[in-house]
Amino acid sequence: MGQHKGSPLRSDAQRNRERILQVALEELTKSSDAPLSAIAKKAGVGQGTFYRNFPNREALVLEVYRFEVQQVCGAACQLLRTREPDQALREWMDRLVRYAMAKAGLADAIRSATSTLGSLAGVGHGPLTEAVGVLLKANEDAGTIRPGVTPDDFLLAIAGLWQIDPHSDWQARAGRLMDLVMDGLRAGAPGR
């Protein structure tokens, strides 16, 4: 028995953690102030387990956000496999918008958890920067965008997305913002 070094426990802990994140995503999307105790109960874990994973509300919200970011980032590579690079980038931007807005409750929860939502870049920085980097490089190689745009440039350019009220007519506003950014990226592209 001793040889396992607790690996079954680790996979159990991993399962618990993922279950908490799935439930939290659903509950926080419905209501940004869903009680943590209700999330723990619905996930079927005790308070101790819950707080060991997520010591406070902010930790949970940011982790749910990262979990979601992973899903969005996975879409970047899928789109590049099936679309022209500039089409993949623009569709991915729409995916990012949908994910940011459709989860109105989550957006509210993130707003209250991070006083400066401009720090989106800080929250999901690793995976998001990577996904953006892959898309920008494919476009730069294809000559469909101006050379030298960094993932940070891109994230700064779309920062306005996080100021749009998810309860407003966000589709039109976000669509215009993304078109504007895309036009800016295409300006000065060698292929144009």
Side-chain angles (χ1 to χ4, degrees):
M1 282 301 282
Q3 292 99 323
H4 285 309
K5 290 202 173 101
S7 53
L9 182 69
R10 266 204 301 281
S11 63
D12 257 11
Q14 186 58 30
R15 270 198 298 277
N16 278 342
R17 190 178 171 78
E18 281 174 12
R19 197 162 54 245
I20 293 169
L21 288 172
Q22 290 284 8
V23 170
L25 179 59
E26 281 167 40
E27 295 303 305
L28 290 168
T29 297
K30 278 186 254 173
S31 158
S32 61
D33 46 13
L36 298 187
S37 54
I39 292 172
K41 193 171 179 187
K42 200 162 179 189
V45 299
Q47 299 281 351
T49 300
F50 183 93
Y51 286 107
R52 213 170 25 255
N53 277 290
F54 307 105
N56 54 44
R57 185 176 198 84
E58 184 173 73
L60 174 68
V61 168
L62 295 185
E63 205 45 53
V64 165
Y65 175 73
R66 280 198 191 93
F67 182 66
E68 266 288 88
V69 164
Q70 296 287 0
Q71 317 293 314
V72 174
C73 292
C77 294
Q78 290 165 333
L79 286 167
L80 276 174
R81 279 198 291 274
T82 54
R83 310 270 193 283
E84 288 301 314
D86 55 341
Q87 198 189 346
L89 176 60
R90 187 63 188 81
E91 280 189 40
W92 186 78
M93 286 158 75
D94 282 338
R95 177 80 55 100
L96 190 62
V97 167
R98 272 205 312 279
Y99 136 76
M101 296 295 148
K103 311 222 165 302
L106 188 57
D108 289 343
I110 294 168
R111 253 190 215 104
S112 46
T114 56
S115 43
T116 54
L117 199 56
S119 71
L120 147 83
V123 178
H125 203 263
L128 207 52
T129 302
E130 230 167 274
V132 172
V134 167
L135 286 159
L136 291 176
K137 181 173 177 356
N139 277 278
E140 194 171 323
D141 292 349
T144 45
I145 62 169
R146 64 167 66 202
V149 179
T150 69
D152 278 346
D153 294 336
F154 177 86
L155 291 172
L156 275 173
I158 65 160
L161 173 58
W162 311 101
Q163 309 307 320
I164 297 175
D165 179 357
H167 306 287
S168 69
D169 174 24
W170 58 265
Q171 273 134 324
R173 295 185 67 193
R176 279 198 307 276
L177 175 68
M178 295 299 151
D179 284 342
L180 197 63
V181 171
M182 197 68 207
D183 289 346
L185 289 170
R186 286 194 175 112
R192 285 176 77 78

Coordinates of all heavy atoms in Angstrom, one line a residue, residues 86-151:
D86 N -6.6 34.8 -40.6 CA -7.3 36.1 -40.2 C -8.8 35.8 -39.8 O -9.3 36.3 -38.9 CB -7.2 37.2 -41.2 CG -7.7 36.7 -42.6 OD1 -7.8 35.5 -42.9 OD2 -8.0 37.6 -43.4
Q87 N -9.4 34.8 -40.4 CA -10.7 34.3 -40.1 C -10.7 33.7 -38.7 O -11.6 33.9 -37.9 CB -11.2 33.4 -41.2 CG -12.7 33.2 -41.2 CD -13.2 32.1 -42.1 OE1 -12.4 31.6 -42.9 NE2 -14.4 31.7 -42.0
A88 N -9.7 32.9 -38.5 CA -9.6 32.2 -37.2 C -9.5 33.2 -36.1 O -10.1 33.1 -35.0 CB -8.4 31.3 -37.2
L89 N -8.6 34.2 -36.3 CA -8.4 35.3 -35.3 C -9.7 36.0 -35.0 O -10.1 36.2 -33.8 CB -7.4 36.3 -35.7 CG -7.1 37.5 -34.8 CD1 -6.6 37.0 -33.4 CD2 -6.1 38.4 -35.4
R90 N -10.4 36.4 -36.0 CA -11.7 37.2 -35.9 C -12.8 36.3 -35.2 O -13.5 36.8 -34.3 CB -12.2 37.7 -37.2 CG -13.4 38.7 -37.1 CD -13.0 39.9 -36.3 NE -14.2 40.7 -36.1 CZ -15.1 40.5 -35.1 NH1 -14.9 39.5 -34.3 NH2 -16.1 41.3 -35.0
E91 N -12.9 35.0 -35.6 CA -13.9 34.2 -34.9 C -13.5 33.9 -33.5 O -14.4 33.8 -32.6 CB -14.0 32.8 -35.7 CG -14.8 32.9 -36.9 CD -15.1 31.5 -37.5 OE1 -15.3 30.6 -36.8 OE2 -15.0 31.4 -38.8
W92 N -12.2 33.8 -33.2 CA -11.8 33.6 -31.8 C -12.1 34.8 -31.0 O -12.5 34.7 -29.8 CB -10.3 33.3 -31.8 CG -9.8 32.9 -30.4 CD1 -10.0 31.7 -29.8 CD2 -9.2 33.8 -29.4 NE1 -9.5 31.8 -28.5 CE2 -9.0 33.0 -28.3 CE3 -8.7 35.1 -29.5 CZ2 -8.3 33.5 -27.1 CZ3 -8.1 35.6 -28.4 CH2 -7.9 34.8 -27.2
M93 N -12.0 36.0 -31.6 CA -12.3 37.2 -30.8 C -13.8 37.2 -30.5 O -14.2 37.6 -29.4 CB -12.0 38.5 -31.7 CG -10.5 38.7 -31.7 SD -10.0 39.7 -33.2 CE -10.5 41.4 -32.7
D94 N -14.7 36.7 -31.4 CA -16.1 36.6 -31.1 C -16.3 35.6 -30.0 O -17.2 35.8 -29.1 CB -16.9 36.1 -32.3 CG -17.1 37.3 -33.3 OD1 -17.1 38.4 -32.9 OD2 -17.3 37.0 -34.5
R95 N -15.5 34.5 -30.0 CA -15.7 33.5 -28.9 C -15.3 34.1 -27.6 O -16.0 33.8 -26.6 CB -14.7 32.3 -29.3 CG -14.6 31.2 -28.3 CD -15.8 30.2 -28.4 NE -15.9 29.7 -29.7 CZ -15.4 28.5 -30.1 NH1 -14.8 27.7 -29.2 NH2 -15.5 28.1 -31.3
L96 N -14.3 34.9 -27.6 CA -13.8 35.6 -26.4 C -14.9 36.5 -25.9 O -15.2 36.6 -24.7 CB -12.6 36.4 -26.7 CG -11.8 37.0 -25.5 CD1 -11.3 35.9 -24.6 CD2 -10.6 37.8 -26.0
V97 N -15.6 37.2 -26.8 CA -16.7 38.1 -26.4 C -17.8 37.4 -25.8 O -18.3 37.7 -24.7 CB -17.2 38.9 -27.6 CG1 -18.5 39.6 -27.3 CG2 -16.2 39.9 -28.1
R98 N -18.2 36.3 -26.5 CA -19.4 35.5 -26.0 C -19.1 35.0 -24.6 O -19.9 35.0 -23.7 CB -19.6 34.3 -26.9 CG -20.5 34.6 -28.1 CD -21.2 33.3 -28.6 NE -20.3 32.2 -28.8 CZ -19.5 32.1 -29.9 NH1 -19.5 33.0 -30.8 NH2 -18.7 31.0 -30.0
Y99 N -17.9 34.5 -24.4 CA -17.5 33.9 -23.1 C -17.5 35.0 -22.1 O -17.9 34.8 -20.9 CB -16.2 33.2 -23.3 CG -15.2 33.5 -22.2 CD1 -15.3 32.9 -21.0 CD2 -14.1 34.3 -22.5 CE1 -14.4 33.1 -20.0 CE2 -13.2 34.5 -21.5 CZ -13.3 33.9 -20.3 OH -12.4 34.2 -19.3
A100 N -17.0 36.2 -22.4 CA -17.0 37.3 -21.5 C -18.4 37.8 -21.1 O -18.7 38.1 -20.0 CB -16.2 38.5 -22.0
M101 N -19.3 37.8 -22.1 CA -20.6 38.4 -21.9 C -21.7 37.5 -21.5 O -22.6 37.8 -20.7 CB -21.0 39.2 -23.1 CG -20.2 40.3 -23.5 SD -20.2 41.6 -22.2 CE -18.6 42.2 -22.3
A102 N -21.7 36.3 -22.1 CA -22.8 35.3 -21.8 C -22.8 35.0 -20.4 O -23.8 34.7 -19.8 CB -22.6 34.1 -22.7
K103 N -21.6 35.1 -19.7 CA -21.5 34.8 -18.3 C -21.7 36.1 -17.5 O -20.7 36.5 -16.9 CB -20.2 34.1 -18.0 CG -20.0 32.9 -19.0 CD -19.4 31.7 -18.3 CE -19.5 30.5 -19.1 NZ -20.8 30.1 -19.6
A104 N -22.8 36.7 -17.7 CA -23.0 38.0 -17.0 C -22.7 37.9 -15.6 O -22.0 38.8 -15.0 CB -24.5 38.5 -17.3
G105 N -23.2 36.9 -14.9 CA -23.0 36.8 -13.5 C -21.6 36.6 -13.2 O -21.0 37.2 -12.2
L106 N -20.9 35.8 -14.0 CA -19.4 35.6 -13.7 C -18.7 36.9 -13.9 O -17.8 37.3 -13.2 CB -18.9 34.5 -14.7 CG -17.5 34.1 -14.4 CD1 -17.3 33.5 -13.0 CD2 -17.1 33.0 -15.4
A107 N -19.1 37.7 -15.0 CA -18.5 39.0 -15.2 C -18.6 39.9 -14.0 O -17.7 40.5 -13.6 CB -19.0 39.6 -16.5
D108 N -19.8 39.9 -13.4 CA -20.1 40.7 -12.2 C -19.2 40.2 -11.1 O -18.7 41.0 -10.3 CB -21.6 40.6 -11.8 CG -22.5 41.3 -12.8 OD1 -22.0 42.2 -13.6 OD2 -23.7 41.1 -12.8
A109 N -19.1 38.9 -10.9 CA -18.3 38.3 -9.9 C -16.9 38.7 -10.0 O -16.2 39.0 -9.1 CB -18.5 36.8 -9.8
I110 N -16.4 38.6 -11.3 CA -15.0 39.0 -11.5 C -14.8 40.5 -11.2 O -13.8 40.9 -10.6 CB -14.6 38.7 -13.0 CG1 -14.6 37.2 -13.3 CG2 -13.2 39.3 -13.2 CD1 -14.5 36.9 -14.7
R111 N -15.8 41.3 -11.6 CA -15.7 42.7 -11.3 C -15.5 43.0 -9.8 O -14.7 43.8 -9.4 CB -17.0 43.4 -11.8 CG -16.7 44.2 -13.0 CD -17.8 45.1 -13.4 NE -17.8 45.2 -14.9 CZ -18.7 44.5 -15.6 NH1 -19.6 43.8 -15.1 NH2 -18.6 44.6 -16.9
S112 N -16.3 42.3 -9.0 CA -16.2 42.6 -7.6 C -15.0 41.9 -7.0 O -14.5 42.3 -6.0 CB -17.5 42.2 -6.9 OG -17.9 40.9 -7.2
A113 N -14.5 40.8 -7.6 CA -13.3 40.1 -7.0 C -12.0 40.8 -7.4 O -11.1 40.8 -6.6 CB -13.3 38.7 -7.5
T114 N -12.0 41.5 -8.6 CA -10.8 42.2 -8.9 C -11.2 43.7 -9.1 O -12.0 44.0 -10.0 CB -10.2 41.7 -10.3 OG1 -11.2 41.8 -11.2 CG2 -9.7 40.3 -10.2
S115 N -10.6 44.5 -8.2 CA -11.1 45.9 -8.2 C -10.8 46.5 -9.6 O -11.6 47.3 -10.1 CB -10.4 46.6 -7.1 OG -9.1 46.3 -7.0
T116 N -9.7 46.1 -10.2 CA -9.4 46.7 -11.5 C -9.5 45.6 -12.6 O -8.7 44.7 -12.7 CB -7.9 47.2 -11.6 OG1 -7.1 46.2 -11.2 CG2 -7.7 48.4 -10.7
L117 N -10.6 45.6 -13.3 CA -10.8 44.5 -14.2 C -9.9 44.6 -15.4 O -9.7 43.7 -16.2 CB -12.3 44.5 -14.7 CG -12.6 43.1 -15.3 CD1 -12.3 42.0 -14.3 CD2 -14.0 43.0 -15.7
G118 N -9.3 45.8 -15.5 CA -8.2 45.9 -16.5 C -7.1 44.9 -16.3 O -6.4 44.6 -17.2
S119 N -7.1 44.3 -15.1 CA -6.1 43.3 -14.8 C -6.5 42.0 -15.3 O -6.0 41.0 -14.9 CB -5.8 43.3 -13.3 OG -6.9 42.7 -12.7
L120 N -7.4 41.9 -16.3 CA -7.7 40.7 -17.0 C -6.4 40.1 -17.4 O -6.2 38.9 -17.3 CB -8.5 41.0 -18.3 CG -8.2 40.0 -19.4 CD1 -9.0 38.8 -19.2 CD2 -8.5 40.6 -20.7
A121 N -5.5 40.9 -18.0 CA -4.2 40.4 -18.5 C -3.5 39.6 -17.4 O -3.0 38.5 -17.6 CB -3.4 41.5 -19.0
G122 N -3.6 40.1 -16.1 CA -3.0 39.4 -15.0 C -3.7 38.1 -14.7 O -3.0 37.1 -14.3
V123 N -5.0 38.1 -14.8 CA -5.7 36.9 -14.3 C -5.5 35.7 -15.1 O -5.2 34.6 -14.6 CB -7.3 37.2 -14.3 CG1 -8.1 36.0 -13.8 CG2 -7.5 38.4 -13.3
G124 N -5.7 35.8 -16.4 CA -5.6 34.6 -17.3 C -4.4 34.7 -18.2 O -4.4 34.2 -19.3
H125 N -3.4 35.4 -17.7 CA -2.3 35.9 -18.5 C -1.7 34.7 -19.3 O -1.6 34.8 -20.5 CB -1.3 36.7 -17.8 CG -0.5 37.6 -18.6 ND1 0.7 37.3 -19.1 CD2 -0.8 38.8 -19.1 CE1 1.1 38.2 -19.9 NE2 0.2 39.2 -19.9
G126 N -1.2 33.7 -18.6 CA -0.5 32.6 -19.3 C -1.2 32.1 -20.5 O -0.8 32.3 -21.6
P127 N -2.3 31.3 -20.3 CA -2.9 30.7 -21.4 C -3.5 31.6 -22.4 O -3.4 31.4 -23.6 CB -4.1 29.9 -20.7 CG -4.1 30.3 -19.3 CD -2.9 31.0 -19.0
L128 N -4.0 32.7 -22.0 CA -4.6 33.7 -22.9 C -3.5 34.3 -23.8 O -3.7 34.4 -25.0 CB -5.3 34.8 -22.2 CG -6.5 35.5 -22.9 CD1 -7.5 34.5 -23.4 CD2 -7.2 36.5 -21.9
T129 N -2.4 34.7 -23.2 CA -1.3 35.2 -24.0 C -0.8 34.2 -25.0 O -0.5 34.5 -26.1 CB -0.1 35.6 -23.0 OG1 -0.7 36.5 -22.1 CG2 1.0 36.3 -23.7
E130 N -0.7 32.9 -24.6 CA -0.3 31.9 -25.4 C -1.2 31.7 -26.6 O -0.8 31.7 -27.8 CB -0.3 30.6 -24.7 CG 1.0 29.8 -24.8 CD 1.0 28.7 -23.7 OE1 1.4 28.9 -22.6 OE2 0.6 27.6 -24.1
A131 N -2.5 31.7 -26.4 CA -3.5 31.5 -27.5 C -3.4 32.7 -28.4 O -3.4 32.5 -29.6 CB -4.9 31.4 -26.9
V132 N -3.4 33.9 -27.9 CA -3.3 35.1 -28.7 C -2.0 35.0 -29.5 O -2.0 35.3 -30.7 CB -3.3 36.4 -27.9 CG1 -3.0 37.6 -28.7 CG2 -4.7 36.5 -27.2
G133 N -0.9 34.6 -28.9 CA 0.4 34.6 -29.5 C 0.4 33.6 -30.8 O 0.9 33.9 -31.8
V134 N -0.3 32.5 -30.6 CA -0.4 31.5 -31.7 C -1.1 32.1 -32.8 O -0.7 32.0 -34.0 CB -1.1 30.2 -31.1 CG1 -1.5 29.3 -32.3 CG2 -0.2 29.4 -30.2
L135 N -2.3 32.7 -32.5 CA -3.1 33.3 -33.6 C -2.4 34.5 -34.3 O -2.4 34.6 -35.5 CB -4.4 33.9 -33.0 CG -5.4 32.8 -32.6 CD1 -6.4 33.3 -31.6 CD2 -6.1 32.2 -33.8
L136 N -1.7 35.3 -33.5 CA -1.0 36.5 -34.1 C 0.2 36.0 -35.0 O 0.4 36.5 -36.1 CB -0.4 37.4 -33.0 CG -1.5 38.2 -32.2 CD1 -0.8 39.0 -31.1 CD2 -2.3 39.1 -33.1
K137 N 0.9 35.0 -34.5 CA 2.0 34.4 -35.3 C 1.5 33.9 -36.6 O 2.1 34.1 -37.7 CB 2.8 33.4 -34.5 CG 4.0 32.9 -35.3 CD 4.9 32.0 -34.5 CE 6.0 31.4 -35.3 NZ 6.1 31.7 -36.8
A138 N 0.4 33.1 -36.6 CA -0.1 32.5 -37.8 C -0.5 33.6 -38.8 O -0.3 33.5 -40.0 CB -1.3 31.6 -37.5
N139 N -1.1 34.7 -38.3 CA -1.5 35.8 -39.2 C -0.3 36.6 -39.7 O -0.2 37.0 -40.9 CB -2.4 36.8 -38.4 CG -3.8 36.3 -38.5 OD1 -4.6 36.5 -39.4 ND2 -4.3 35.6 -37.4
E140 N 0.7 36.8 -38.8 CA 1.9 37.5 -39.3 C 2.6 36.7 -40.4 O 3.0 37.2 -41.4 CB 2.9 37.7 -38.1 CG 3.9 38.8 -38.4 CD 4.7 39.2 -37.2 OE1 4.2 39.3 -36.1 OE2 5.9 39.4 -37.4
D141 N 2.7 35.3 -40.2 CA 3.4 34.5 -41.1 C 2.6 34.5 -42.5 O 3.2 34.4 -43.5 CB 3.4 33.0 -40.6 CG 4.4 32.9 -39.5 OD1 5.2 33.8 -39.2 OD2 4.4 31.8 -38.8
A142 N 1.3 34.7 -42.4 CA 0.5 34.7 -43.6 C 0.4 36.1 -44.2 O -0.2 36.3 -45.3 CB -1.0 34.2 -43.3
G143 N 1.0 37.1 -43.5 CA 0.9 38.4 -44.0 C -0.4 39.1 -43.9 O -0.7 40.1 -44.7
T144 N -1.3 38.6 -43.0 CA -2.7 39.1 -43.0 C -2.8 40.2 -41.9 O -3.8 40.9 -41.8 CB -3.7 38.0 -42.6 OG1 -3.1 37.2 -41.6 CG2 -3.9 37.1 -43.9
I145 N -1.8 40.4 -41.0 CA -1.8 41.5 -40.1 C -0.5 42.2 -40.1 O 0.5 41.7 -40.6 CB -2.1 41.1 -38.6 CG1 -1.0 40.1 -38.1 CG2 -3.5 40.5 -38.5 CD1 -1.1 39.8 -36.6
R146 N -0.4 43.4 -39.6 CA 0.8 44.2 -39.5 C 1.8 43.4 -38.7 O 1.4 42.7 -37.7 CB 0.6 45.6 -38.9 CG 0.1 45.5 -37.5 CD 0.2 46.8 -36.8 NE -0.7 47.8 -37.3 CZ -0.6 49.1 -37.2 NH1 0.4 49.6 -36.6 NH2 -1.5 49.9 -37.7
P147 N 3.1 43.4 -39.0 CA 4.1 42.7 -38.3 C 4.4 43.3 -36.9 O 4.1 44.5 -36.7 CB 5.3 42.7 -39.2 CG 5.1 43.8 -40.1 CD 3.7 44.1 -40.2
G148 N 4.8 42.5 -35.9 CA 5.3 43.0 -34.7 C 4.3 43.3 -33.6 O 4.6 43.8 -32.6
V149 N 3.0 42.8 -33.8 CA 2.0 43.0 -32.8 C 2.2 41.9 -31.7 O 2.3 40.7 -32.0 CB 0.5 42.9 -33.3 CG1 -0.5 43.0 -32.2 CG2 0.3 43.9 -34.4
T150 N 2.3 42.3 -30.4 CA 2.5 41.4 -29.4 C 1.2 41.0 -28.7 O 0.2 41.7 -28.8 CB 3.4 41.9 -28.2 OG1 2.7 43.0 -27.6 CG2 4.7 42.5 -28.8
P151 N 1.1 39.8 -28.0 CA -0.1 39.5 -27.3 C -0.5 40.6 -26.3 O -1.7 40.8 -26.2 CB 0.3 38.2 -26.6 CG 1.3 37.6 -27.4 CD 2.1 38.7 -28.0

